[in-house]
Amino acid sequence: MLTSLTITSLYVLDQDQALDFYVGTLGLEVGTDADLGFMRWLTVRVPGETREVLLERPGPPAMDGTTAEQVRDLVTKGASAGTLFFNTDDVQQTWDDLKAKGVELPEEPTSRGYGTDFGFRDPFGNHVRIAQLPG
Amino acid sequence: MTRAKEERNRAMLRARDAMDAGYDRELDVAALARLACCSPSHFIRTFSATFGETPHRYLQRRRVERAMYLLRSTSTSVTDVCWSVGFSSLGTFVRTFVRIVGETPTAYRARGPLPAVPTCFAMRWLRPSGLTEESSFGEAPAATPGLASRSC
């Protein structure tokens, strides 16, 4: 029987830039940042949570150069299925904070059937949404 | 592929996001091209090469998708739906809607409420792009060959 989901992976084009964005700007914390030799194992998580997101750079030797280029193409087109949904207890404050930090925010917090949320992109094209759900 | 191509992709995605967020406002190619840091003609060409349809076609179908949503998920009048998704003429709205969806807004509304899914996924999956081989949800059947793939 499965007990939890621990790690999901997200393609990023540059791990330093990803770290800067997800930790420096969004306020996640580093789970692990280790040079394994063959790869940099870099995970981030919401402070206090156990579920982590692996920020993985597409490239050799995990995939050949041509495939990596295809992945990079898809990520930058917003078509790599990289989507992260976060919850917050104050969506407007979060939006204001990110705006003040210079994050590109194409939409303002909007009331939907399920709560109030807004979406934007990480520096590479992955989709990030932040929601305040009722209750 | 070069890094320049990735930056171009990212710029086109920025303009597409602006359409997804601002479909209810007047959006002109010049403003979107500025957002994507290129000339209007270059923007139209590059956007089409990146996403497989012109910016105008993308925006028009985003507006129709949002109208489809409002028709089936709210009781907003057809006229108000028309204005609130960014059309400035009811005639153009109804004509465009029928051409793309295959039925009038009122007839489409009669299909009943849409299932509730997060808006971003509804917007991604329910836009009648006409780019699928099979008819997508809400897309007009193949009764109008040529029209669905005509670039706007």
Side-chain angles (χ1 to χ4, degrees):
Chain A
M1 180 177 174
L2 310 185
T3 54
S4 65
L5 176 60
T6 52
I7 299 179
T8 48
S9 172
L10 186 74
Y11 282 128
V12 298
L13 305 193
D14 181 302
Q15 288 174 309
D16 286 329
Q17 203 181 349
L19 192 61
D20 189 48
F21 179 77
Y22 283 104
V23 176
T25 303
L26 286 196
L28 302 187
E29 65 179 16
V30 174
T32 308
D33 184 0
D35 183 357
L36 304 185
F38 54 89
M39 74 176 291
R40 179 179 178 187
W41 181 267
L42 175 62
T43 66
V44 295
R45 62 187 174 218
V46 172
E49 295 271 301
T50 53
R51 181 173 169 182
E52 300 190 337
V53 179
L54 177 70
L55 302 173
E56 188 176 4
R57 192 182 59 80
M63 57 180 76
D64 67 274
T66 305
T67 305
E69 293 300 334
Q70 290 170 333
V71 171
R72 296 175 68 98
D73 192 29
L74 291 176
V75 169
T76 50
K77 282 186 188 186
S80 74
T83 302
L84 297 176
F85 286 0
F86 293 102
N87 282 341
T88 176
D89 50 11
D90 190 337
V91 72
Q92 186 62 52
Q93 185 63 51
T94 305
W95 191 91
D96 291 344
D97 289 347
L98 294 178
K99 189 75 179 171
K101 288 177 178 172
V103 178
E104 249 184 83
L105 299 173
E107 60 184 33
E108 302 198 353
T110 305
S111 176
R112 322 268 186 195
Y114 47 84
T116 302
D117 74 353
F118 64 97
F120 53 104
R121 305 269 175 194
D122 78 0
F124 319 106
N126 294 306
H127 185 194
V128 181
R129 291 198 83 79
I130 298 180
Q132 183 177 351
L133 305 178
Chain B
M1 191 175 67
T2 60
R3 297 300 166 262
K5 168 97 186 311
E6 291 167 12
E7 280 170 28
R8 220 156 43 232
N9 281 348
R10 194 65 188 79
M12 294 304 128
L13 185 58
R14 184 171 293 123
R16 203 186 74 180
D17 284 344
M19 287 192 266
D20 287 341
Y23 61 86
D24 56 338
R25 297 188 285 273
E26 269 192 46
L27 289 173
D28 59 62
V29 166
L32 292 168
R34 271 197 302 279
L35 204 58
C37 302
C38 55
S39 71
S41 60
H42 186 243
F43 170 62
I44 293 171
R45 215 169 37 244
T46 310
F47 187 97
S48 306
T50 305
F51 296 120
E53 58 188 317
T54 63
H56 179 267
R57 187 182 192 277
Y58 183 89
L59 176 59
Q60 191 179 52
R61 283 159 187 264
R62 167 60 62 224
R63 286 173 168 159
V64 168
E65 178 275 326
R66 285 289 86 194
M68 291 162 77
Y69 165 78
L70 289 173
L71 287 165
R72 291 179 63 179
S73 302
T74 71
S75 55
T76 312
S77 73
V78 171
T79 308
D80 285 344
V81 166
C82 159
W83 308 138
S84 62
V85 300
F87 282 90
S88 51
S89 146
L90 186 59
T92 303
F93 168 64
V94 173
R95 206 163 48 247
T96 305
F97 192 97
V98 169
R99 180 167 65 76
I100 292 175
V101 182
E103 56 190 333
T104 65
T106 308
Y108 181 75
R109 162 166 275 169
R111 293 190 193 195
L114 284 169
V117 295
T119 305
C120 58
F121 281 94
M123 289 176 72
R124 196 186 299 176
W125 284 93
L126 298 179
R127 195 179 65 94
S129 67
L131 300 176
T132 50
E133 288 181 20
E134 293 175 23
S135 176
S136 67
F137 192 68
E139 172 76 354
T144 51
L147 284 178
S149 58
R150 187 177 69 184
S151 79
C152 300

